């Protein structure tokens, strides 16, 4: 029965189903949702096959050479790229198929001069932001115009000019949406490929268990095929001995292992105080004194001139202290 449906009717049905799916509240991983996605993909692929058999579109023609119904069929690739992204499975394959349909849609629109060449991306961040804002405004204006045209089409049936204008605007709006979506797909595809490479690497090269913490790390031999111990290890995962063992190696190594096992739980000093001072002295961090202090000169009691000179010196010093009390020269020292 479905084979009797015309190409235009089949495309219109798929278009309406996709519109309903985009507003659906179903979970994207539910069986019902995925069934609807598969049905839309099937209908659009049948439409695409019929278009290819007819060789409908050619780069030697323009939009004026096609009817309104034929122009709408340009959206098949765009709708396929949109709905395929909703499928489950290998994310890399899904994204590659979606990008392929988007690329074919944009190529057709450029050949028919429906869309212009992409403007060069400005280097200035401010100019890039303004360009995106202007593009967003154009898309919102175009969506509003499309809704107004759809209202006119719902009221009157014989409006060929309005229907054609609606189709052209719908295609131009889809060009904007596909160009924006294609940039996001490129980033997501790169991440998806990296994730698949990591999964393949983990599957191909299983991670080896970490045995660096074990005292018997070198005594446990692993099978290179299974990464499992060939012989029974000395200790289990809890550190309990599984079989008798002997500490081998040089005497210093055995003593070091013993010291690590039989030691207190706090940090012990590594040198004595005298050793520390000697080490600091060798580093030059201790300053030694300049020798013995000079002995005070004793005045001979029989030398009266020396005694008078010493007495005058003491008097002068007392007079100086009287004239200059302690703290007198300090700034602010005598403030109350």
């Amino acid at each position: 029965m479905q084979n009797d449906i015309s190409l235009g009717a089949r495309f219109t049905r798929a278009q309406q189903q996709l519109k309903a799916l985009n507003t659906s509240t179903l979970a994207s991983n539910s069986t019902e949702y995925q069934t609807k996605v598969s049905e839309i993909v099937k209908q659009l692929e049948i439409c695409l096959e019929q278009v290819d058999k007819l060789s409908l579109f050619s780069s030697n023609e323009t939009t004026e050479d096609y009817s309104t119904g034929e122009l709408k069929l340009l959206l098949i690739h765009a709708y396929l790229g949109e709905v395929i992204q909703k499928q489950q499975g290998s994310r890399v394959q899904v994204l590659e198929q979606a990008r392929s349909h988007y690329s074919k849609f944009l190529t057709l629109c450029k050949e028919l001069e429906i869309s212009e060449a992409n403007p060069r991306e400005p280097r200035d961040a401010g100019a890039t932001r303004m360009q995106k804002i202007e593009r967003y405004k154009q898309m919102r204006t175009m969506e509003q115009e499309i809704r107004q045209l759809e209202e006119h089409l719902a009221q009157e049936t014989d409006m060929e000019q309005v229907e054609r204008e609606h189709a052209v605007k719908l295609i131009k709006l889809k060009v904007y949406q596909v160009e924006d979506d294609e940039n996001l797909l490129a980033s997501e595809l790169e991440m998806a490929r990296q994730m698949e490479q990591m999964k393949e690497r983990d599957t191909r090269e299983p991670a080896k268990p970490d045995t660096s913490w074990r005292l018997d790390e070198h005594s446990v031999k692993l099978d290179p095929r299974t990464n499992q111990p060939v012989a029974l290890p000395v200790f289990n995962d809890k550190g309990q001995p599984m079989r008798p063992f002997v500490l081998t190696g040089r005497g210093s190594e055995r003593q070091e292992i013993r010291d690590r096992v039989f030691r207190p739980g706090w940090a012990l000093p590594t040198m004595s105080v005298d050793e520390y001072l000697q080490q600091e002295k060798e580093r030059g961090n201790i300053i030694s004194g300049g020798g013995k202090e000079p002995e005070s000169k004793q005045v001979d009691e029989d030398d009266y001139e020396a005694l008078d000179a010493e007495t005058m010196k003491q008097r002068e010093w007392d007079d100086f202290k009287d004239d200059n009390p302690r703290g007198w020269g300090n700034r602010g020292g005598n403030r109350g």
Side-chain angles (χ1 to χ4, degrees):
M1 184 69 180
Q2 288 187 354
N3 295 331
D4 298 335
I5 301 176
S6 64
L7 174 60
R10 187 185 300 275
F11 171 76
T12 301
R13 175 186 294 180
Q15 189 180 32
Q16 293 174 351
Q17 289 176 346
L18 179 58
K19 187 176 181 180
L21 185 66
N22 288 334
T23 58
S24 175
T25 57
L26 295 173
S28 60
N29 58 349
S30 63
T31 304
E32 184 178 357
Y33 186 91
Q34 290 298 318
T35 301
K36 292 183 178 181
V37 169
S38 300
E39 178 64 23
I40 297 173
V41 171
K42 180 181 178 180
Q43 295 298 325
L44 290 173
E45 286 179 345
I46 294 175
C47 293
L48 185 59
E49 184 179 354
Q50 294 179 1
V51 170
D52 292 340
K53 285 182 179 180
L54 296 173
S55 299
L56 191 59
F57 299 108
S58 173
S59 59
N60 298 326
E61 298 176 346
T62 63
T63 55
E64 301 298 330
D65 299 323
Y66 296 99
S67 65
T68 302
E70 292 172 340
L71 281 179
K72 291 180 180 180
L73 299 177
L74 284 171
L75 294 166
I76 294 177
H77 279 297
Y79 288 156
L80 271 172
E82 180 182 352
V83 72
I84 282 176
Q85 295 182 61
K86 304 179 186 295
Q87 289 181 326
Q88 292 183 331
S90 174
R91 194 57 184 167
V92 173
Q93 295 181 1
V94 169
L95 295 176
E96 286 178 345
Q97 292 179 11
R99 288 193 70 189
S100 176
H101 285 293
Y102 276 171
S103 178
K104 292 176 182 178
F105 169 69
L106 294 176
T107 301
L108 279 174
C109 291
K110 289 177 182 177
E111 290 177 350
L112 298 179
E113 299 180 354
I114 296 178
S115 64
E116 300 177 355
N118 292 334
R120 181 175 298 178
E121 195 74 18
R123 296 182 180 180
D124 184 19
T128 302
R129 181 174 179 273
M130 293 303 299
Q131 187 183 66
K132 291 182 179 180
I133 292 175
E134 185 64 26
R135 184 183 182 89
Y136 177 80
K137 290 181 179 179
Q138 291 177 0
M139 292 174 63
R140 296 287 80 81
T141 302
M142 201 172 297
E143 288 176 353
Q144 185 177 1
E145 293 174 351
I146 289 174
R147 284 195 294 268
Q148 293 176 355
L149 292 173
E150 288 176 349
E151 292 177 358
H152 292 166
L153 290 173
Q155 295 174 1
E156 301 181 27
T157 57
D158 189 14
M159 296 184 66
E160 174 65 25
Q161 186 63 30
V162 176
E163 186 177 0
R164 188 174 184 84
E165 183 180 358
H166 172 265
V168 172
K169 286 187 178 296
L170 193 62
I171 295 173
K172 289 184 176 180
L173 176 62
K174 203 63 182 176
V175 168
Y176 285 156
Q177 293 173 346
V178 167
E179 288 176 347
D180 291 344
D181 201 12
E182 198 175 32
N183 296 330
L184 298 177
L185 285 182
S187 302
E188 185 179 355
L189 181 59
E190 182 179 357
M191 290 189 291
R193 285 172 177 167
Q194 292 177 358
M195 292 296 295
E196 286 200 354
Q197 290 176 359
M198 293 173 60
K199 290 180 181 178
E200 292 177 359
R201 193 183 308 116
D202 294 341
T203 304
R204 186 171 58 255
E205 300 178 2
K208 296 182 179 180
D210 183 18
T211 59
S212 59
W213 60 274
R214 304 179 65 101
L215 291 175
D216 60 339
E217 176 185 4
H218 301 290
S219 66
V220 179
K221 296 182 179 180
L222 300 178
D223 188 344
R225 295 171 300 178
T226 61
N227 284 331
Q228 297 297 325
V230 177
L232 188 67
V234 178
F235 299 100
N236 60 13
D237 295 338
K238 297 181 179 180
Q240 299 171 346
M242 302 289 293
R243 57 185 173 87
F245 64 94
V246 178
L247 294 175
T248 60
R250 293 172 296 181
S252 60
E253 293 180 354
R254 287 184 293 178
Q255 185 62 35
E256 184 181 353
I257 294 176
R258 287 197 189 99
D259 293 341
R260 282 190 296 175
V261 174
F262 302 103
R263 66 176 182 181
W266 59 88
L268 297 176
T270 58
M271 63 179 68
S272 65
V273 176
D274 294 336
E275 291 174 344
Y276 172 74
L277 293 176
Q278 182 64 27
Q279 181 177 341
E280 291 296 312
K281 185 177 181 180
E282 292 175 356
R283 293 177 179 175
N285 295 333
I286 298 179
I287 301 176
S288 301
K292 296 182 179 181
E293 296 183 0
E295 298 180 358
S296 57
K297 187 178 180 181
Q298 298 293 332
V299 181
D300 189 3
E301 296 180 356
D302 297 333
D303 190 352
Y304 296 104
E305 293 182 359
L307 290 174
D308 293 341
E310 183 65 22
T311 302
M312 291 300 297
K313 185 179 179 180
Q314 291 295 332
R315 288 177 180 177
E316 291 176 356
W317 177 243
D318 293 337
D319 293 340
F320 176 81
K321 290 195 294 183
D322 292 339
D323 296 336
N324 301 278
R326 176 174 292 184
W328 183 261
N330 295 339
R331 184 177 181 181
N334 298 322
R335 292 180 182 177

